[in-house]
Amino acid sequence: MNSMRHQGIGMTSQRTRDRLIRRLQEQGIHDERVLEVMRRIPRHLFVDEALAHRAYEDTALPIGYGQTISQPFIVAHMSQVLLEDGPANSVLEIGTGCGYQTAVLASLFAQVYSVERIEALHQQARERLAELEIYNVQLRYCDGIEGWPNPSYRFDRIIMTAACSEVPEALLQQLREGGMMVLPFDSGYDQTLTRFTRTRDGLEREPLEKVAFVPLLPGLD
Ligand code: SAH
């Protein structure tokens, strides 16, 4: 990769990224691991070059195919929540999109698994992660409603970056006991970022905050 593009200039520079980190701290992101990784990862490489100068604004941006890259605060917040509740090694992400959240997770967890139902986004994310030499991620082009294609896998954490009104059964099956899942839950009226913890007796549910995500869609595109 062209190193100028990699390092960024002007609105994509390290200084711009440092400003984003200060904003995240003001918004209540306190986990140093999350702040450190977001300070380091060049978010502008995950959006179209024409939008690169806006990559460090605290806003969602279009990534094509009617999808969006999540707002930095949401990426930071979901990552911070996933790091709570003790040690975790593996995380399954539903909705790879541009791969930015995936790249952030790759620095925070030993093993990252991520699935996407739009093949072009899946391919693009694969290329970007390879360019950044991120190797502890496995990507699949498949329907996340069915979970990870190998049903015997159990994950410590699951993150979904698309909104659903019912937690897919396959995901519940693939969350280990004591594990935690974070997703935007759609009541039909509004969306609430929600944490589900799998206990011996079932599922504990904790609403976190109002959000706006694209919907979880069934099948392949
Ligand atoms: N974390 C991503 C978010 C992308 S938006 C980013 O910041 O870029 C949500 C993504 O979920 C979209 O790419 C969409 O195609 C994907 N998605 C929606 N339903 C899905 C499903 N059933 N299985 C896998 N991916 C899905």
Side-chain angles (χ1 to χ4, degrees), residues 63 67-70 93-99 101 115-118 121 142-145 161-162 214-218:
I63 56 171
Q67 307 304 319
T68 52
I69 177 173
S70 303
E93 177 186 43
I94 309 300
T96 314
C98 69
Q101 172 84 69
V115 304
E116 171 57 55
R117 66 180 288 280
I118 297 177
L121 289 176
C142 63
D143 178 3
I145 294 174
T161 61
V214 295
L216 184 73
L217 297 174

Side-chain angles (χ1 to χ4, degrees), residues 78-102:
M78 288 177 96
S79 304
Q80 184 167 278
V81 170
L82 289 174
L83 288 171
E84 292 170 3
D85 288 2
N89 286 315
S90 62
V91 58
L92 169 64
E93 177 186 43
I94 309 300
T96 314
C98 69
Y100 176 69
Q101 172 84 69
T102 324

Side-chain angles (χ1 to χ4, degrees), residues 30-197:
H30 51 76
D31 193 306
E32 280 301 328
R33 294 165 291 182
V34 174
L35 294 167
E36 193 278 324
V37 52
M38 289 184 66
R39 185 178 285 124
R40 196 160 40 77
I41 294 186
R43 179 171 160 94
H44 63 278
L45 298 186
F46 289 85
V47 296
D48 195 87
E49 264 182 85
L51 283 174
H53 67 289
R54 300 194 55 199
Y56 299 99
E57 293 175 17
D58 197 17
T59 179
L61 293 170
I63 56 171
Y65 313 92
Q67 307 304 319
T68 52
I69 177 173
S70 303
Q71 171 193 352
F73 172 72
I74 293 295
V75 172
H77 185 49
M78 288 177 96
S79 304
Q80 184 167 278
V81 170
L82 289 174
L83 288 171
E84 292 170 3
D85 288 2
N89 286 315
S90 62
V91 58
L92 169 64
E93 177 186 43
I94 309 300
T96 314
C98 69
Y100 176 69
Q101 172 84 69
T102 324
V104 169
L105 294 172
S107 287
L108 301 172
F109 294 89
Q111 284 302 328
V112 179
Y113 302 79
S114 182
V115 304
E116 171 57 55
R117 66 180 288 280
I118 297 177
E119 192 169 17
L121 289 176
H122 159 78
Q123 282 300 347
Q124 226 171 39
R126 185 182 287 293
E127 285 161 23
R128 286 181 178 133
L129 295 172
E131 278 175 14
L132 292 173
E133 301 179 354
I134 294 173
Y135 299 123
N136 59 331
V137 174
Q138 290 198 49
L139 300 175
R140 292 287 185 276
Y141 164 54
C142 63
D143 178 3
I145 294 174
E146 308 293 334
W148 185 253
N150 183 338
S152 68
Y153 275 43
R154 294 290 172 275
F155 300 96
D156 297 322
R157 300 286 184 266
I158 297 178
I159 172 176
M160 195 154 96
T161 61
C164 65
S165 48
E166 213 174 320
V167 182
E169 184 57 34
L171 297 185
L172 291 180
Q173 293 299 328
Q174 293 189 338
L175 186 64
R176 75 156 165 81
E177 197 179 302
M180 176 223 294
M181 173 154 56
V182 180
L183 53 86
F185 194 77
D186 193 333
S187 67
Y189 162 72
D190 60 9
Q191 294 178 14
T192 309
L193 193 65
T194 307
R195 176 214 312 250
F196 293 91
T197 308

